[in-house]
Each structure stands twice: as structure tokens, then as C-alpha cells.
């Protein structure tokens, strides 16, 4: 491996399109995670965890609150069918809320594992031909561009970067915790 990147227009385009700098590539070549890559990697997933916890609160409040309001609107004697509806609304809100809490906890654990991998500098280097695929979005959903190299798949790669990669050509890909950090032709 070279000590520094070969300054070519193609490598500059790859770096810009994939969101890394040539300094980051030099650090990755040396087997290190660049400090900016550590910062970026540590932030991923936090927004999803916050969203899931807020969703859990809304589901719990909606289910239990909706059941309470429905119950208050009923006139005695309350039929078994109406009470079953109250229980179903409250129970549904609790079950969905707990599912969102479980998803939030799992997301927090994954974020912790990812941060640990970035802090340890657990850099993996994959080398070989890149297979690139696209999953066409339907009904207004965006297309998903992905790479596969060395048995690993990288989803949601930028379209501009995906266009620059030549299918089947050998590349060297640097990654941590399943995140593509940088790449270059090998």
C-alpha cells in the first residue's frame, strides 16, 4: 500500500461523492480511523433512538388516554363489548408503546457498540471487485444504491458515488462497524 493517495481527479471525485477527505484516506490506509470519522460515526443512530422513545410515550398516552376518554363517554350500565373495547385500546397502546421502548433500547445498544468500534479503531479493509446494485423505489420512495465487496454489503451509498464506481473493478474499502469510511481503486 502507498503512504498517501495518488492525487488523481478520479480519487478526488470518489472522496467528494462518498463524503471523505484525502486526509481521512491516508489515516485509513495507515490502519487508523480519522478523528472526524470517529465523531461522525458516534452520532449515527441517536436520532432514531430519540424518535422511538418519544413514539413510545405517545403510543402509551394515546392508548391509555383514549381508553379512559372512551370509558368516560360510556353510560352505565357498560356492556361487556364496550369494556372489551376499552381494554383493547389500553392494551394496544401499552403493547405498541413497549415495542417502541424495546426498539429504542436495542437502538441505543447498537449505537453503543458502533461507538465502541469507532473508539477502538476497529478498521476493516476489504479488497476485491465491487458489485453495485440499485433497488428502485416505488410509489415515490427513493432508490437505494448499494455496494457489495468481500461478502459485506453497504446500503444507502450516495448516488453520485455509486455512479463513479466501475462494476467489477477491484477497490480497497475501509470500514468500521459496517460503515463505509473511504475507498480507492486497488
Amino acid at each position: 500500500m502507498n503512504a498517501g493517495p495518488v492525487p488523481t481527479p478520479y480519487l478526488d471525485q470518489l472522496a467528494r461523492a462518498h463524503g471523505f477527505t484525502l486526509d481521512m484516506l491516508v489515516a485509513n490506509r495507515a490502519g487508523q480511523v480519522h478523528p472526524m470519522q470517529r465523531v461522525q460515526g458516534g452520532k449515527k443512530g441517536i436520532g432514531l433512538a430519540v424518535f422511538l422513545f418519544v413514539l413510545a410515550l405517545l403510543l402509551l398516552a394515546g392508548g391509555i388516554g383514549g381508553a379512559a376518554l372512551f370509558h368516560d363517554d360510556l353510560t352505565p350500565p357498560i356492556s361487556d363489548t364496550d369494556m372489551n373495547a376499552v381494554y383493547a385500546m389500553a392494551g394496544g397502546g401499552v403493547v405498541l408503546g413497549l415495542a417502541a421502548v424495546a426498539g429504542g433500547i436495542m437502538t441505543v445498544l447498537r449505537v453503543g457498540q458502533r461507538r465502541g468500534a469507532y473508539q477502538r479503531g476497529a478498521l476493516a479493509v476489504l479488497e476485491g471487485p465491487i458489485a453495485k446494485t440499485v433497488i428502485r423505489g416505488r410509489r415515490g420512495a427513493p432508490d437505494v444504491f448499494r455496494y457489495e465487496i468481500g461478502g459485506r454489503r453497504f446500503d444507502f451509498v450516495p448516488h453520485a458515488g455509486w455512479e463513479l464506481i466501475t462494476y467489477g473493478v477491484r477497490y480497497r474499502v475501509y470500514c468500521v462497524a459496517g460503515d463505509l469510511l473511504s475507498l480507492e481503486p486497488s
Side-chain angles (χ1 to χ4, degrees):
M1 288 195 284
N2 299 336
V6 178
T8 65
Y10 179 63
L11 192 55
D12 289 337
Q13 289 175 338
L14 278 177
R16 252 189 327 277
H18 288 91
F20 65 91
T21 65
L22 295 181
D23 288 340
M24 291 175 182
L25 179 59
V26 169
N28 296 160
R29 280 182 174 175
Q32 301 169 355
V33 178
H34 191 275
M36 284 304 298
Q37 291 171 325
R38 287 181 202 272
V39 170
Q40 292 168 352
K43 291 180 182 176
K44 292 182 180 179
I46 295 297
L48 177 59
V50 170
F51 169 77
L52 288 171
F53 287 125
V54 169
L55 179 63
L57 288 174
L58 293 174
L59 289 168
L60 287 166
I64 295 170
L69 289 174
F70 180 66
H71 182 270
D72 290 345
D73 285 344
L74 297 174
T75 55
I78 300 173
S79 70
D80 288 343
T81 303
D82 287 340
M83 277 312 293
N84 286 341
V86 169
Y87 296 142
M89 289 173 67
V94 168
V95 168
L96 292 174
L98 291 177
V101 166
I105 290 170
M106 290 175 61
T107 301
V108 167
L109 293 174
R110 280 195 302 268
V111 167
Q113 290 171 344
R114 172 179 274 123
R115 281 184 176 176
Y118 272 90
Q119 293 308 314
R120 287 188 309 276
L123 187 73
V125 181
L126 308 171
E127 195 163 351
I130 286 186
K132 56 185 213 174
T133 55
V134 62
I135 299 170
R136 297 286 177 204
R138 299 168 106 186
R139 299 182 184 161
D143 296 340
V144 176
F145 299 93
R146 66 170 52 149
Y147 300 144
E148 192 167 327
I149 181 171
R152 289 215 186 140
R153 189 175 78 201
F154 300 96
D155 293 326
F156 305 105
V157 295
H159 179 245
W162 187 86
E163 288 288 343
L164 288 170
I165 298 294
T166 305
Y167 186 91
V169 170
R170 292 183 63 82
Y171 286 86
R172 188 174 303 115
V173 174
Y174 304 93
C175 59
V176 170
D179 297 340
L180 188 147
L181 298 181
S182 62
L183 74 159
E184 63 183 331
S186 59

